[in-house]
Amino acid sequence: MAATTSSAAGIRWDLADLSPGADAARREWDELLERARRFGVERRGTVGSGGAEGLQRLLAELDELHQRSARVHFYALAREHTNATDAEANDLATTARDRAAELENLLLFVELEWLALDDAEAEALLEAPELQPYEHKLRVAREEKPFVLGEPEEQALNARRPGIEAWESLHGRTLATLEIDFDGGEGAEPHTIDRLLSYVYSPDRDLRLRALEALYGGLAGIVDVPAACYDALVGDRLAVDRLRGVPEPMLPTNLRNELEGEVVESMLAAIEEQYPLGRRWFECKARALGLERLELADQYAPVGRDRRVPWQEAVEIVDGSLVRFEPRLAEIFRACLERGHVDAEPRTGKVGGAYCNSVSQGVLPYVLLNHTDTLRDVVTLAHEFGHATHGALALERQPFRSWRVGLAVAEVPSMFAQLLAVEGLIDREDDPGNRALLLADRVETALGSIFRQTVLARFEQRAYALRGEGKALTSERLSGLWLEENERYYGGSVALPEGYRLAWSYIPHFVGARFYTYAYAFAHLVALSLLARYREDPRTFTPAYLEFLGSGGSRSPQELLEPLGVDLREERTWADAFAELDRAVSAAERGVFVA
Ligand SMILES: [Zn+2]
């Protein structure tokens, strides 16, 4: 990963929009905490009594404190993420974590006082025009009120945090330190789980099969540890749910996503009905690879041919895709590039993967990538700029408190931008091999986020139900549930190896946050449905889509998406999405044989 070999060499962040330097950042934290203390002295006890105008001023001040903290906090993280061995960056990041927690404690009274108001008082304030930009978020905060306990109880529950984190960290450490001897072509050497999993993208079938077998063999030796961690965490979450009066284990996740339980359930049911669409692809892929039936290890085997896409060309492709859709979005893309808000060069000491952080008003979003000149890197660039354009437009129009949305809606603009870019790429690639790769990748990404995430959500639901009945979540029981839910999806179209029963054990989401994964299925389906609406009538769609982006989190998902012709309560929304996916599968079925 030498910097000189990358076509994105030199494409690095300029963090001047966040802080002029380390000393200034330290001083900024001191000043911020001082201001937060003063804010507390002046404002404590006034959330309900200062009238609508007073509350509006208080919230604006609070937003300002949060934004300053967001900028200086991300300054430290951004340095750490791009240079892990920079000692100053590590110190700054530690300071930032401690100081941010201190700041949160000083400001927490605002949320507590808001929840403590009775409904009539709150309603009178919510009707005031001054508070309109904050109205939705203030309402949403109160929806959790029935499940919030008194201050001493909440403090006691908070005090359990280190115990909870110990289970999470035992789970993480057990898997991160697992080393499995494996010969990947350069002699036997210890492999991590991630390294073994990366072989499923190899063109060498024997390597793929052996890698998964080695992985499952390694997991067999430790599987009781992740099972015990998961059992403890689910047991704890259910016990706290009972204290809070939370009637259903998925409810806290649904509240955070602002989705009704019925909407989520009808979506999951609609997805399960379409499992055969996934099988149709697996059968096609088996033929394309010249196999009678796919083994699990063949699921992500490469199809078609990749080509080199240097950074400048990737930028031109995404720019073109945005310009064709709506020039305003391309302006934001170019501005981020020009101001040094994109870090695309892979290098030692930089974190892997990609993300976007829309830090605060008045600052363009920051995007991190690791561009390695593949066609998939272009797709990732488009995805992250779906997030960035959303953040930039929402922060132009909404107060800081009102711009953010739950994970489910947050992934909609990124998936939509990704789908548009992929469609453009498929239309423009001349080489049938390159087209085949993109067509297969489009389908496999969709199956991964729509079907596989649903399998995970159903597995979790059954685990919570079992634990709720007083049954311990042993590795035997979890493996049984895992296989049943997976077999419902793959249904014989893919041969599942014996060891696959243990594959639930290394999925971090189950441990970190419950029912996290359905948001990806939701976002992908909604983005497919939006694509159908766009194709029907681009002229009315585009302005409505800009309005959606600029609205940020100032309305509910239902209210945000309805003007775009996507009604979450209508089965048609999911049916339209599957019609799009069906089209994509058909195109891939044709494309992989032309190649
Ligand atoms: Zn994303």
Side-chain angles (χ1 to χ4, degrees):
M1 278 220 294
T4 45
T5 64
S6 169
S7 68
I11 307 299
R12 297 185 179 197
W13 276 336
D14 175 348
L15 301 176
D17 284 345
L18 300 172
S19 175
D23 290 338
R26 281 187 212 97
R27 277 197 305 276
E28 172 73 355
W29 278 119
D30 291 340
E31 260 176 58
L32 251 174
L33 285 170
E34 185 43 41
R35 266 202 55 187
R37 269 182 219 106
R38 272 209 319 272
F39 175 81
V41 171
E42 287 162 15
R43 302 294 192 179
R44 195 176 276 276
T46 72
V47 169
S49 62
E53 215 191 301
L55 182 54
Q56 187 271 325
R57 273 204 308 273
L58 181 150
L59 292 172
E61 260 179 78
L62 183 65
D63 266 358
E64 192 43 44
L65 289 166
H66 278 138
Q67 296 196 81
R68 282 177 64 179
S69 142
R71 288 193 291 267
V72 68
H73 197 161
F74 186 59
Y75 172 75
L77 290 184
R79 284 187 53 171
E80 196 181 44
H81 287 175
T82 49
N83 191 357
T85 53
D86 174 358
E88 187 176 60
N90 293 333
D91 282 350
L92 271 177
T94 306
T95 306
R97 273 185 279 269
D98 294 350
R99 293 301 181 92
E102 242 179 283
L103 187 81
E104 279 318 300
N105 275 340
L106 289 168
L107 303 177
L108 192 66
F109 73 92
V110 177
E111 313 305 320
L112 294 177
E113 286 183 28
W114 171 246
L115 283 191
L117 296 185
D118 67 41
D119 288 350
E121 282 175 296
E123 199 50 47
L125 286 167
L126 287 169
E127 275 162 24
E130 296 95 319
L131 287 170
Q132 201 272 324
Y134 296 103
E135 184 198 341
H136 179 70
K137 287 290 182 189
L138 288 172
R139 268 187 207 287
V140 170
R142 285 179 68 85
E143 275 170 24
E144 293 198 16
K145 187 176 171 171
F147 313 116
V148 177
L149 304 170
E151 203 169 345
E153 288 95 332
E154 289 295 337
Q155 279 171 346
L157 287 177
N158 265 338
R160 289 160 33 265
R161 202 57 234 164
I164 305 288
E165 277 163 14
W167 287 111
E168 292 172 357
S169 124
L170 175 61
H171 184 271
R173 263 183 296 127
T174 305
L175 295 162
T177 56
L178 180 62
E179 290 196 319
I180 300 160
D181 267 327
F182 183 70
D183 184 353
E186 288 153 32
E189 52 179 332
H191 276 59
T192 61
I193 294 177
D194 282 347
R195 185 152 169 223
L196 283 173
L197 282 171
S198 73
Y199 291 124
V200 302
Y201 301 98
S202 161
D204 178 348
R205 184 164 202 240
D206 178 58
L207 180 61
R208 297 197 301 266
L209 289 164
R210 285 192 302 112
L212 282 192
E213 207 181 285
L215 170 65
Y216 301 140
L219 290 173
I222 53 122
V223 70
D224 285 334
V225 179
C229 295
Y230 191 53
D231 180 69
L233 287 166
V234 173
D236 178 80
R237 288 169 191 161
L238 288 171
V240 176
D241 281 358
R242 274 195 295 279
L243 283 174
R244 294 189 183 283
V246 170
E248 205 274 310
M250 218 192 243
L251 183 79
T253 310
N254 293 346
L255 281 177
R256 235 166 298 131
N257 282 319
E258 295 184 47
L259 292 173
E260 289 157 28
E262 297 95 272
V263 166
V264 176
E265 179 49 41
S266 71
M267 174 191 79
L268 293 175
I271 294 170
E272 288 175 306
E273 250 177 67
Q274 295 291 334
Y275 278 170
L277 191 54
R279 291 176 215 148
R280 198 176 109 199
W281 169 248
F282 296 134
E283 281 155 17
C284 166
K285 182 157 183 173
R287 288 194 304 277
L289 295 175
L291 301 168
E292 195 139 323
R293 181 161 76 139
L294 284 194
E295 288 276 343
L296 189 74
D298 303 320
Q299 194 178 348
Y300 299 109
V303 173
R305 255 190 314 278
D306 208 347
R307 74 170 176 90
R308 313 308 294 164
V309 189
W311 171 247
Q312 263 319 314
E313 192 192 346
V315 167
E316 280 154 29
I317 293 170
V318 171
D319 187 57
S321 166
L322 292 173
V323 168
R324 280 192 298 280
F325 177 67
E326 165 57 55
R328 178 76 184 92
L329 302 186
E331 271 170 39
I332 295 168
F333 176 61
R334 288 176 205 154
C336 287
L337 286 165
E338 276 156 26
R339 268 198 92 75
H341 282 228
V342 181
D343 196 306
E345 176 195 344
R347 56 193 185 271
T348 313
K350 177 175 167 181
V351 294
Y355 69 74
C356 167
N357 190 354
S358 298
V359 187
S360 86
Q361 289 177 318
V363 174
L364 284 165
Y366 279 85
V367 171
L368 180 136
L369 305 155
N370 280 281
H371 190 81
T372 57
D373 294 12
T374 69
L375 279 164
R376 282 191 194 91
D377 290 324
V378 183
V379 179
T380 305
L381 177 64
H383 179 101
E384 296 310 328
F385 270 91
H387 286 304
T389 48
H390 188 204
L393 289 177
L395 281 163
E396 267 175 25
R397 276 187 38 201
Q398 305 302 328
F400 190 61
R401 172 182 281 258
S402 298
W403 93 262
R404 224 178 269 282
V405 291
L407 180 70
V409 175
E411 287 299 328
V412 170
S414 50
M415 272 320 305
F416 183 72
Q418 176 174 336
L419 292 174
L420 277 182
V422 169
E423 197 161 75
L425 269 173
I426 290 170
D427 288 347
R428 284 168 176 73
E429 287 297 323
D430 305 321
D431 178 71
N434 297 155
R435 285 170 53 93
L437 177 131
L438 289 163
L439 288 163
D441 188 55
R442 176 167 71 176
V443 168
E444 285 168 6
T445 304
L447 300 188
S449 62
I450 298 168
F451 294 137
R452 184 171 151 80
Q453 303 304 332
T454 297
V455 169
L456 301 188
R458 290 303 197 204
F459 165 80
E460 275 189 281
Q461 280 183 313
R462 292 185 63 191
Y464 278 79
L466 268 186
R467 191 61 175 76
E469 290 163 19
K471 297 205 173 78
L473 298 177
T474 59
S475 61
E476 264 316 296
R477 279 209 179 98
L478 290 168
S479 298
L481 294 183
W482 177 254
L483 269 195
E484 277 176 41
E485 290 305 316
N486 274 279
E487 272 161 6
R488 287 177 61 203
Y489 170 40
Y490 291 110
S493 64
V494 176
L496 303 176
E498 168 60 25
Y500 182 59
R501 56 207 325 276
L502 305 178
W504 54 269
S505 63
Y506 62 81
I507 296 175
H509 299 103
F510 297 151
V511 165
R514 57 176 125 174
F515 302 108
Y516 187 83
T517 62
Y518 80 70
Y520 292 113
F522 174 91
H524 207 118
L525 287 177
V526 168
L528 284 167
S529 212
L530 289 174
L531 196 61
R533 294 287 92 79
Y534 172 53
R535 212 177 288 115
E536 274 165 23
D537 184 1
R539 285 227 289 216
T540 34
F541 181 88
T542 312
Y545 190 75
L546 281 188
E547 176 63 27
F548 159 64
L549 294 182
S551 298
S554 63
R555 277 173 279 158
S556 70
Q558 172 70 25
E559 291 164 329
L560 286 168
L561 294 166
E562 226 181 305
L564 289 162
V566 169
D567 186 336
L568 300 175
R569 293 164 307 200
E570 292 283 344
E571 279 177 32
R572 185 184 151 213
T573 291
W574 314 125
D576 286 352
F578 282 114
E580 281 292 317
L581 181 56
D582 193 291
R583 243 173 43 99
V585 172
S586 298
E589 281 173 330
R590 290 188 303 272
V592 292
F593 292 107
V594 177

